[in-house]
C-alpha cells in the first residue's frame, strides 16, 4: 500500500462529484474542500505533478478525512479513495518529528504490546477518575484477554471448533461483548479457541499513515491465526473484518509468502453475526425484548447481501420489533480517534444520526462497531446502545 501503487487508480476519478452525496465531512462542513475528488486532485498535484507544496492547509484537508470508506464503496470508477488517503498520510509523516510523532509512537506501542497497553489503561482510568477525558472511551479494569483464555469447551453435544479474534474495542472497552459471544457459541455446541498471542488489527495506526506498523501487526495476527486448527475464525467488529478481508493483502508485496496464508485464512473468516445466523433457526427464549433499531457501521460492506444480517438475526432469535431508521447507514462521526481531533465536525456528523435514532422510537440501538457504540452512547447517555450479540445474549440467557 504505497502511494506510487495508485498512480493509475487516482486517474480513474471522473470528477463526477457523486462522492458529495455520501461524504459525512462534506455534509457537515458544506465545502468542496472536503470532497474525495478534491483530495485526490490535491494529492496528484503535491506528490505526482509536484506543482504544489505539502502545505499545512494541504495536510489539514488530507487529515480531515474520516476514512469511513463511503466514497470508495459508492465510487462508480472503483477508485480506492481511502487507501490513497492513507498512503498520502504515510508520505506526509515521513521524517516528521515533534509532538505528533511522539504521540503516534506511544499509540502504536500501546496497540502492539500488552505491557504498554496495560500502562495506557491505568493512565486512562486515573485520568477519568480525576474528571479528565470525559468524552474518551472508558477502559475496563479487566480486559477480555484476562477474562477468557485458551479454549472454552462446548456445553452441549459438540458441533465444531471455532476460533475467536477479539478486537481492541472488545478487549479494552467492552469485554462483555466477547463474553456474550463465547457463551452463546459454547451453549450451542462449539469449542471456542481464544488465541492469546494476537494483537491489534492495525486500523488505528494505519489511519495515521503508519502502514509499516499496521503490516507488522497484521503479519503477527496472520501467523497466529493460521496455525489454529478450527473450522472458522469469527470476528464481531466490522472494522477488524475489513482490515483482514480487504486491507491485509495490500499491506504486503505480491510475492510475500504471507499472501498464501492470508488467502487461506480469509476463506475461514466469518462475522460473528453471520455465523450465528446459521446456528439459530428460530426464537430461543420466551423473554420479551425491547424494540431495537440498527446503526450500520461505515466499514461494513454497504452492497453486501448481508448488510442487514443483524436485523435478520435479532428478529429471528428474539422476535422483538425492529424500528428502522430512515438511513441506517448514516455515519455517526466517530471514525476511530477522529472525533478526538475533530470534535466540532464529529458532533455535526453525529447530530442527524441521533435525530434519526430518536425518530425511530426504538428502545435500544444496536451496532457492531465498538467506537460507534461509544460515540452514540456519549451523545445520548439515556439510550441503551449495545452490540447485537450482547443484546441477543441478554435476551436469551
Amino acid at each position: 500500500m504505497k502511494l506510487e501503487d495508485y498512480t493509475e487508480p487516482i486517474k480513474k476519478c471522473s470528477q463526477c462529484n457523486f462522492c458529495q452525496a455520501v461524504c459525512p465531512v462534506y455534509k457537515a462542513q458544506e465545502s468542496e474542500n472536503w470532497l474525495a475528488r478534491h483530495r485526490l486532485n490535491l494529492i496528484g498535484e503535491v506528490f505526482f505533478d509536484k506543482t504544489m507544496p505539502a502545505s499545512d492547509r494541504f495536510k489539514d484537508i488530507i487529515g480531515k478525512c474520516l476514512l469511513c470508506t463511503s466514497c470508495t464503496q459508492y465510487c462508480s470508477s472503483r477508485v480506492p479513495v481511502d487507501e490513497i488517503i492513507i498512503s498520502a498520510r504515510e508520505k506526509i509523516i515521513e521524517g516528521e518529528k515533534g509532538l505528533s510523532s511522539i504521540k503516534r509512537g506511544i499509540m502504536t506501542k500501546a496497540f502492539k504490546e500488552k505491557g504498554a497497553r496495560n500502562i495506557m489503561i491505568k493512565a486512562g482510568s486515573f485520568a477519568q477518575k480525576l474528571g479528565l477525558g470525559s468524552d474518551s472511551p472508558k477502559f475496563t479494569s479487566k480486559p477480555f484477554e484476562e477474562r477468557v483464555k485458551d479454549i472454552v469447551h462446548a456445553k452441549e453435544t459438540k458441533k465444531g471448533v471455532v476460533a475467536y479474534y477479539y478486537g481492541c474495542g472488545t478487549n479494552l472497552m467492552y469485554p462483555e461483548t466477547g463474553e456474550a459471544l463465547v457463551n452463546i457459541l459454547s451453549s450451542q455446541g462449539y469449542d471456542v479457541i481464544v488465541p492469546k498471542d494476537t494483537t491489534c488489527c492495525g486500523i488505528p495506526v494505519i489511519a495515521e499513515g503508519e502502514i509499516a506498523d499496521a503490516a507488522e501487526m497484521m503479519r503477527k495476527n496472520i501467523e497466529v491465526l493460521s496455525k489454529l486448527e478450527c473450522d472458522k475464525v469469527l470476528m464481531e467488529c466490522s472494522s477488524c473484518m475489513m482490515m483482514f478481508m480487504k486491507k491485509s493483502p495490500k499491506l504486503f508485496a505480491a510475492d510475500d509468502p504471507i499472501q498464501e496464508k492470508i488467502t487461506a485464512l480469509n476463506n475461514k473468516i466469518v462475522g460473528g453475526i453471520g455465523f450465528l445466523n446459521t446456528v439459530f433457526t428460530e426464537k430461543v427464549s420466551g423473554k420479551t425484548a425491547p424494540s431495537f433499531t440498527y446503526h450500520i457501521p461505515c466499514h461494513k460492506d454497504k452492497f453486501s447481501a448481508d448488510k442487514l444480517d443483524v436485523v435478520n438475526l435479532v428478529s429471528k432469535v428474539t422476535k422483538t420489533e425492529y424500528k428502522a431508521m430512515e438511513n441506517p447507514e448514516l455515519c455517526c462521526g466517530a471514525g476511530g480517534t477522529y472525533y478526538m481531533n475533530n470534535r466540532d465536525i464529529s458532533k455535526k456528523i453525529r447530530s442527524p444520526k441521533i435525530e434519526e435514532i430518536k425518530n425511530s422510537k426504538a428502545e435500544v440501538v444496536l451496532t457492531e462497531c465498538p467506537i460507534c457504540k461509544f460515540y452514540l452512547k456519549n451523545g445520548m447517555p439515556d439510550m441503551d446502545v449495545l452490540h447485537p450479540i450482547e443484546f441477543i445474549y441478554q435476551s436469551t440467557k
Side-chain angles (χ1 to χ4, degrees), residues 42-172:
L42 288 176
I43 289 170
E45 291 178 31
V46 171
F47 291 121
F48 294 134
D49 301 335
K50 310 290 185 181
T51 56
M52 286 180 58
S55 65
D56 289 342
R57 178 59 173 165
F58 166 74
K59 294 175 183 177
D60 185 51
I61 291 173
I62 301 304
K64 287 290 193 295
C65 175
L66 257 169
L67 297 176
C68 68
T69 75
S70 291
C71 55
T72 298
Q73 293 198 49
Y74 282 97
C75 179
S76 57
S77 300
R78 316 307 274 174
V79 179
V81 181
D82 61 313
E83 294 173 9
I84 295 171
I85 296 291
I86 289 169
S87 301
R89 288 179 181 176
E90 182 185 44
K91 284 282 188 184
I92 289 171
I93 65 174
E94 279 182 358
E96 188 179 70
K97 298 180 180 179
L99 183 59
S100 295
S101 178
I102 294 171
K103 285 169 63 178
R104 284 198 310 275
I106 292 172
M107 182 183 74
T108 299
K109 190 175 182 66
F111 282 113
K112 275 185 182 179
E113 302 174 16
K114 184 176 180 180
R117 189 160 61 240
N118 289 340
I119 293 172
M120 180 181 73
I121 292 171
K122 290 176 182 177
S125 298
F126 180 69
Q128 285 156 1
K129 287 177 181 177
L130 294 178
L132 304 174
S134 59
D135 59 349
S136 299
K138 290 180 172 56
F139 296 122
T140 178
S141 59
K142 190 175 183 181
F144 176 78
E145 63 191 0
E146 295 179 10
R147 300 183 186 209
V148 183
K149 300 179 181 180
D150 301 325
I151 185 167
V152 177
H153 292 284
K155 296 176 183 177
E156 304 292 339
T157 302
K158 183 176 173 181
K159 298 176 182 175
V161 181
V162 296
Y164 170 39
Y165 173 86
Y166 54 90
C168 298
T170 294
N171 188 35
L172 304 179

Side-chain angles (χ1 to χ4, degrees), residues 5 22 49-50 58 96 164 185 190 232 319 323 378:
D5 298 335
V22 296
D49 301 335
K50 310 290 185 181
F58 166 74
E96 188 179 70
Y164 170 39
L185 290 168
Y190 291 91
K232 297 290 182 183
K319 297 298 182 187
K323 295 187 174 182
N378 181 266

Side-chain angles (χ1 to χ4, degrees), residues 42 71 95 133 135 291 299 302 309 324:
L42 288 176
C71 55
D135 59 349
S291 61
H299 290 159
K302 294 175 172 60
D309 57 357

Side-chain angles (χ1 to χ4, degrees), residues 1-3 6 62-63 65-69 80-93 103-105 107-109 111-112 168 200-219 239-240 242-252 299 335-338:
M1 194 183 288
K2 298 294 182 183
L3 190 57
Y6 298 99
I62 301 304
C65 175
L66 257 169
L67 297 176
C68 68
T69 75
V81 181
D82 61 313
E83 294 173 9
I84 295 171
I85 296 291
I86 289 169
S87 301
R89 288 179 181 176
E90 182 185 44
K91 284 282 188 184
I92 289 171
I93 65 174
K103 285 169 63 178
R104 284 198 310 275
M107 182 183 74
T108 299
K109 190 175 182 66
F111 282 113
K112 275 185 182 179
C168 298
C200 174
C201 70
I203 197 167
V205 298
I206 201 175
E208 300 290 327
E210 302 280 6
I211 298 175
D213 286 310
E216 182 183 339
M217 294 177 187
M218 184 57 73
R219 186 183 292 276
S239 295
C240 289
M242 181 193 72
M243 278 297 293
F244 275 87
M245 303 294 287
K246 295 185 177 181
K247 305 305 181 189
S248 62
K250 299 179 181 181
L251 292 174
F252 308 98
H299 290 159
T337 59
Y338 182 90

Side-chain angles (χ1 to χ4, degrees), residues 148-366:
V148 183
K149 300 179 181 180
D150 301 325
I151 185 167
V152 177
H153 292 284
K155 296 176 183 177
E156 304 292 339
T157 302
K158 183 176 173 181
K159 298 176 182 175
V161 181
V162 296
Y164 170 39
Y165 173 86
Y166 54 90
C168 298
T170 294
N171 188 35
L172 304 179
M173 295 162 55
Y174 302 114
E176 59 272 14
T177 298
E179 290 178 310
L181 179 58
V182 170
N183 284 329
I184 290 173
L185 290 168
S186 62
S187 69
Q188 293 299 311
Y190 291 91
D191 284 351
V192 185
I193 300 171
V194 183
K196 63 180 179 180
D197 294 325
T198 55
T199 188
C200 174
C201 70
I203 197 167
V205 298
I206 201 175
E208 300 290 327
E210 302 280 6
I211 298 175
D213 286 310
E216 182 183 339
M217 294 177 187
M218 184 57 73
R219 186 183 292 276
K220 180 176 181 179
N221 288 324
I222 297 295
E223 294 289 357
V224 171
L225 295 174
S226 295
K227 294 175 183 177
L228 301 179
E229 295 184 6
C230 59
D231 305 316
K232 297 290 182 183
V233 176
L234 306 190
M235 300 181 184
E236 35 69 23
C237 171
S238 50
S239 295
C240 289
M241 281 200 68
M242 181 193 72
M243 278 297 293
F244 275 87
M245 303 294 287
K246 295 185 177 181
K247 305 305 181 189
S248 62
K250 299 179 181 181
L251 292 174
F252 308 98
D255 59 352
D256 191 313
I258 200 71
Q259 293 287 2
E260 186 175 345
K261 293 182 180 180
I262 289 173
T263 300
L265 179 62
N266 281 351
N267 286 331
K268 295 175 73 172
I269 291 175
V270 63
I273 297 295
F275 187 78
L276 291 181
N277 254 315
T278 66
V279 171
F280 291 117
T281 57
E282 56 186 14
K283 185 175 180 181
V284 296
S285 173
K287 292 182 180 179
T288 301
S291 61
F292 73 99
T293 192
Y294 173 45
H295 165 64
I296 301 177
C298 288
H299 290 159
K300 191 162 186 174
D301 190 345
K302 294 175 172 60
F303 292 99
S304 168
D306 296 327
K307 76 172 185 177
L308 291 177
D309 57 357
V310 166
V311 175
N312 296 333
L313 177 64
V314 174
S315 299
K316 176 171 60 179
V317 174
T318 67
K319 297 298 182 187
T320 191
E321 183 181 5
Y322 168 54
K323 295 187 174 182
M325 286 180 267
E326 184 177 343
N327 182 8
E329 295 176 346
L330 198 66
C331 180
C332 74
T337 59
Y338 182 90
Y339 78 93
M340 295 182 184
N341 301 316
N342 305 280
R343 298 179 192 277
D344 291 342
I345 295 176
S346 289
K347 287 179 179 178
K348 286 181 182 178
I349 295 171
R350 183 176 63 183
S351 182
K353 172 98 270 183
I354 288 178
E355 194 66 28
E356 282 212 0
I357 291 171
K358 290 179 178 178
N359 289 340
S360 76
K361 306 298 183 183
E363 298 170 87
V364 178
V365 184
L366 304 183

